[in-house]
Amino acid sequence: MIDLAGYTTGDFQRGASRLKEAAWWIVRAMFFQSALPWPSGLRVGLLRLFGAKVGEGVVIRGQVNITFPWRFSAGDHVWIGEETLILSLAPVAIESNCCISQRAFLCTGSHDFSSPAFSLRTAPITIKEGSWVAAGAFIAPGVSVGPESMVAAGSVVLADVPAKVIVRGNPAAVVKQLG
């Protein structure tokens, strides 16, 4: 049985001061989660200002939610689609030439259901070069999507994805080898 009265975040560290985090919340609300069509270059510059490592030619569409930019990196020529949620309680690394489509959810945090205190667990996510995470896909904590792979729309990825495959379903399974 879960007893949330005993919940703690354990050894989780937010990675920045409360002031920096509050400033990010304001910037995120104004320039990332707004319906206004702010230029992608402005969003990239703001991410860098808050500690993200972002390469050249990165496109960040509207209503993208990156919780802790100081734990986010994107290589060159990365596209992040509308309403994507990147819960970066742990590092999220998107390598070059990757597309993260609309409403994808990259989730680095969860809870231990077997723990009465419902303990927080975090693990990094890596999307390797040349991969595509299609619309509405969920990537679980600790997952690595192999290079040149595709996660089909609406898939739930709970384990690492090998290189050069297409995965689909819930839970996602390899449906096709590529190249």
Side-chain angles (χ1 to χ4, degrees):
M1 178 172 102
I2 296 174
D3 179 7
L4 294 177
Y7 175 77
T8 70
T9 59
D11 61 353
F12 176 72
Q13 301 292 320
R14 300 180 84 74
S17 71
R18 294 288 186 179
L19 181 60
K20 182 175 182 177
E21 188 174 353
W24 171 246
W25 285 8
I26 293 166
V27 167
R28 184 176 63 183
M30 290 176 58
F31 297 102
F32 285 78
Q33 294 183 290
S34 165
L36 295 173
W38 295 105
S40 182
L42 174 64
R43 291 186 180 113
V44 166
L46 290 167
L47 282 171
R48 288 178 181 143
L49 182 68
F50 280 87
K53 294 173 182 68
V54 183
E56 299 300 315
V58 172
V59 175
I60 300 174
R61 305 297 295 180
Q63 299 181 325
V64 168
N65 185 354
I66 300 171
T67 54
F68 298 123
W70 42 91
R71 290 193 176 124
F72 175 76
S73 66
D76 297 330
H77 308 290
V78 168
W79 295 352
I80 301 176
E82 290 86 352
E83 298 181 30
T84 294
L85 172 54
I86 300 174
L87 180 64
S88 50
L89 300 175
V92 173
I94 302 171
E95 295 181 358
S96 295
N97 299 301
C98 289
C99 178
I100 311 298
S101 289
Q102 305 86 327
R103 296 188 178 142
F105 182 12
L106 280 59
C107 179
T108 61
S110 188
H111 298 276
D112 181 357
F113 186 70
S114 67
S115 162
F118 205 49
S119 303
L120 177 65
R121 289 187 171 179
T122 64
I125 290 173
T126 303
I127 310 298
K128 298 284 188 172
E129 184 153 357
S131 292
W132 176 22
V133 176
F138 174 84
I139 309 296
V143 166
S144 178
V145 174
E148 300 178 42
S149 288
M150 176 194 171
V151 175
S155 296
V156 176
V157 182
L158 304 174
D160 288 349
V161 174
K164 296 185 179 186
V165 298
I166 296 174
V167 297
R168 178 178 63 210
N170 179 5
V174 174
V175 295
K176 184 175 183 180
Q177 293 288 137
L178 301 171

PDB file of all heavy atoms in Angstrom, residues 84-98:
ATOM      1  N   THR A  84       5.740  18.895 -27.361  1.00  0.00           N
ATOM      2  CA  THR A  84       6.618  17.856 -26.832  1.00  0.00           C
ATOM      3  C   THR A  84       6.919  18.164 -25.371  1.00  0.00           C
ATOM      4  O   THR A  84       7.141  19.315 -25.007  1.00  0.00           O
ATOM      5  CB  THR A  84       7.922  17.786 -27.651  1.00  0.00           C
ATOM      6  OG1 THR A  84       7.606  17.347 -28.970  1.00  0.00           O
ATOM      7  CG2 THR A  84       8.930  16.844 -27.024  1.00  0.00           C
ATOM      8  N   LEU A  85       6.924  17.130 -24.534  1.00  0.00           N
ATOM      9  CA  LEU A  85       7.261  17.275 -23.117  1.00  0.00           C
ATOM     10  C   LEU A  85       8.550  16.512 -22.850  1.00  0.00           C
ATOM     11  O   LEU A  85       8.638  15.311 -23.124  1.00  0.00           O
ATOM     12  CB  LEU A  85       6.136  16.734 -22.227  1.00  0.00           C
ATOM     13  CG  LEU A  85       6.420  16.646 -20.731  1.00  0.00           C
ATOM     14  CD1 LEU A  85       6.885  17.973 -20.153  1.00  0.00           C
ATOM     15  CD2 LEU A  85       5.188  16.144 -19.994  1.00  0.00           C
ATOM     16  N   ILE A  86       9.543  17.229 -22.337  1.00  0.00           N
ATOM     17  CA  ILE A  86      10.817  16.626 -21.970  1.00  0.00           C
ATOM     18  C   ILE A  86      10.993  16.842 -20.472  1.00  0.00           C
ATOM     19  O   ILE A  86      11.364  17.930 -20.035  1.00  0.00           O
ATOM     20  CB  ILE A  86      11.980  17.214 -22.788  1.00  0.00           C
ATOM     21  CG1 ILE A  86      11.741  16.953 -24.281  1.00  0.00           C
ATOM     22  CG2 ILE A  86      13.313  16.626 -22.312  1.00  0.00           C
ATOM     23  CD1 ILE A  86      12.734  17.602 -25.210  1.00  0.00           C
ATOM     24  N   LEU A  87      10.665  15.803 -19.699  1.00  0.00           N
ATOM     25  CA  LEU A  87      10.793  15.848 -18.249  1.00  0.00           C
ATOM     26  C   LEU A  87      12.236  15.481 -17.915  1.00  0.00           C
ATOM     27  O   LEU A  87      12.588  14.310 -17.850  1.00  0.00           O
ATOM     28  CB  LEU A  87       9.811  14.884 -17.591  1.00  0.00           C
ATOM     29  CG  LEU A  87       9.831  14.839 -16.070  1.00  0.00           C
ATOM     30  CD1 LEU A  87       9.419  16.176 -15.474  1.00  0.00           C
ATOM     31  CD2 LEU A  87       8.933  13.727 -15.559  1.00  0.00           C
ATOM     32  N   SER A  88      13.059  16.498 -17.729  1.00  0.00           N
ATOM     33  CA  SER A  88      14.500  16.286 -17.572  1.00  0.00           C
ATOM     34  C   SER A  88      14.922  16.311 -16.106  1.00  0.00           C
ATOM     35  O   SER A  88      15.759  17.107 -15.701  1.00  0.00           O
ATOM     36  CB  SER A  88      15.279  17.310 -18.400  1.00  0.00           C
ATOM     37  OG  SER A  88      14.812  18.623 -18.154  1.00  0.00           O
ATOM     38  N   LEU A  89      14.358  15.402 -15.321  1.00  0.00           N
ATOM     39  CA  LEU A  89      14.798  15.219 -13.944  1.00  0.00           C
ATOM     40  C   LEU A  89      16.191  14.593 -13.920  1.00  0.00           C
ATOM     41  O   LEU A  89      16.919  14.711 -12.944  1.00  0.00           O
ATOM     42  CB  LEU A  89      13.815  14.324 -13.185  1.00  0.00           C
ATOM     43  CG  LEU A  89      12.370  14.828 -13.095  1.00  0.00           C
ATOM     44  CD1 LEU A  89      11.489  13.785 -12.426  1.00  0.00           C
ATOM     45  CD2 LEU A  89      12.306  16.160 -12.382  1.00  0.00           C
ATOM     46  N   ALA A  90      16.553  13.899 -14.985  1.00  0.00           N
ATOM     47  CA  ALA A  90      17.881  13.350 -15.249  1.00  0.00           C
ATOM     48  C   ALA A  90      18.255  13.838 -16.651  1.00  0.00           C
ATOM     49  O   ALA A  90      17.402  14.357 -17.381  1.00  0.00           O
ATOM     50  CB  ALA A  90      17.851  11.825 -15.180  1.00  0.00           C
ATOM     51  N   PRO A  91      19.517  13.695 -17.051  1.00  0.00           N
ATOM     52  CA  PRO A  91      19.918  14.200 -18.371  1.00  0.00           C
ATOM     53  C   PRO A  91      19.128  13.593 -19.525  1.00  0.00           C
ATOM     54  O   PRO A  91      18.815  12.401 -19.540  1.00  0.00           O
ATOM     55  CB  PRO A  91      21.394  13.804 -18.460  1.00  0.00           C
ATOM     56  CG  PRO A  91      21.842  13.736 -17.038  1.00  0.00           C
ATOM     57  CD  PRO A  91      20.655  13.192 -16.287  1.00  0.00           C
ATOM     58  N   VAL A  92      18.822  14.446 -20.502  1.00  0.00           N
ATOM     59  CA  VAL A  92      18.214  14.036 -21.767  1.00  0.00           C
ATOM     60  C   VAL A  92      19.161  14.493 -22.864  1.00  0.00           C
ATOM     61  O   VAL A  92      19.438  15.693 -22.986  1.00  0.00           O
ATOM     62  CB  VAL A  92      16.820  14.654 -21.978  1.00  0.00           C
ATOM     63  CG1 VAL A  92      16.305  14.345 -23.382  1.00  0.00           C
ATOM     64  CG2 VAL A  92      15.847  14.150 -20.923  1.00  0.00           C
ATOM     65  N   ALA A  93      19.665  13.543 -23.642  1.00  0.00           N
ATOM     66  CA  ALA A  93      20.590  13.845 -24.732  1.00  0.00           C
ATOM     67  C   ALA A  93      19.963  13.400 -26.047  1.00  0.00           C
ATOM     68  O   ALA A  93      19.636  12.225 -26.219  1.00  0.00           O
ATOM     69  CB  ALA A  93      21.922  13.140 -24.521  1.00  0.00           C
ATOM     70  N   ILE A  94      19.792  14.354 -26.949  1.00  0.00           N
ATOM     71  CA  ILE A  94      19.296  14.064 -28.296  1.00  0.00           C
ATOM     72  C   ILE A  94      20.455  14.356 -29.240  1.00  0.00           C
ATOM     73  O   ILE A  94      20.901  15.509 -29.339  1.00  0.00           O
ATOM     74  CB  ILE A  94      18.071  14.927 -28.641  1.00  0.00           C
ATOM     75  CG1 ILE A  94      16.953  14.702 -27.620  1.00  0.00           C
ATOM     76  CG2 ILE A  94      17.591  14.623 -30.060  1.00  0.00           C
ATOM     77  CD1 ILE A  94      15.792  15.669 -27.744  1.00  0.00           C
ATOM     78  N   GLU A  95      20.955  13.325 -29.883  1.00  0.00           N
ATOM     79  CA  GLU A  95      22.099  13.501 -30.762  1.00  0.00           C
ATOM     80  C   GLU A  95      21.670  14.144 -32.086  1.00  0.00           C
ATOM     81  O   GLU A  95      20.484  14.389 -32.311  1.00  0.00           O
ATOM     82  CB  GLU A  95      22.804  12.163 -30.972  1.00  0.00           C
ATOM     83  CG  GLU A  95      23.412  11.628 -29.689  1.00  0.00           C
ATOM     84  CD  GLU A  95      24.154  10.317 -29.853  1.00  0.00           C
ATOM     85  OE1 GLU A  95      24.186   9.746 -30.973  1.00  0.00           O
ATOM     86  OE2 GLU A  95      24.723   9.845 -28.839  1.00  0.00           O
ATOM     87  N   SER A  96      22.623  14.410 -32.963  1.00  0.00           N
ATOM     88  CA  SER A  96      22.373  15.136 -34.210  1.00  0.00           C
ATOM     89  C   SER A  96      21.424  14.393 -35.149  1.00  0.00           C
ATOM     90  O   SER A  96      21.336  13.167 -35.136  1.00  0.00           O
ATOM     91  CB  SER A  96      23.695  15.391 -34.929  1.00  0.00           C
ATOM     92  OG  SER A  96      24.507  16.244 -34.157  1.00  0.00           O
ATOM     93  N   ASN A  97      20.724  15.190 -35.957  1.00  0.00           N
ATOM     94  CA  ASN A  97      19.845  14.698 -37.014  1.00  0.00           C
ATOM     95  C   ASN A  97      18.728  13.806 -36.493  1.00  0.00           C
ATOM     96  O   ASN A  97      18.400  12.780 -37.085  1.00  0.00           O
ATOM     97  CB  ASN A  97      20.663  13.977 -38.098  1.00  0.00           C
ATOM     98  CG  ASN A  97      21.656  14.914 -38.734  1.00  0.00           C
ATOM     99  OD1 ASN A  97      21.275  15.946 -39.292  1.00  0.00           O
ATOM    100  ND2 ASN A  97      22.936  14.605 -38.608  1.00  0.00           N
ATOM    101  N   CYS A  98      18.125  14.231 -35.381  1.00  0.00           N
ATOM    102  CA  CYS A  98      16.993  13.507 -34.801  1.00  0.00           C
ATOM    103  C   CYS A  98      15.740  14.369 -34.869  1.00  0.00           C
ATOM    104  O   CYS A  98      15.818  15.600 -34.813  1.00  0.00           O
ATOM    105  CB  CYS A  98      17.258  13.161 -33.339  1.00  0.00           C
ATOM    106  SG  CYS A  98      18.510  11.890 -33.112  1.00  0.00           S
TER     107      CYS A  98
END
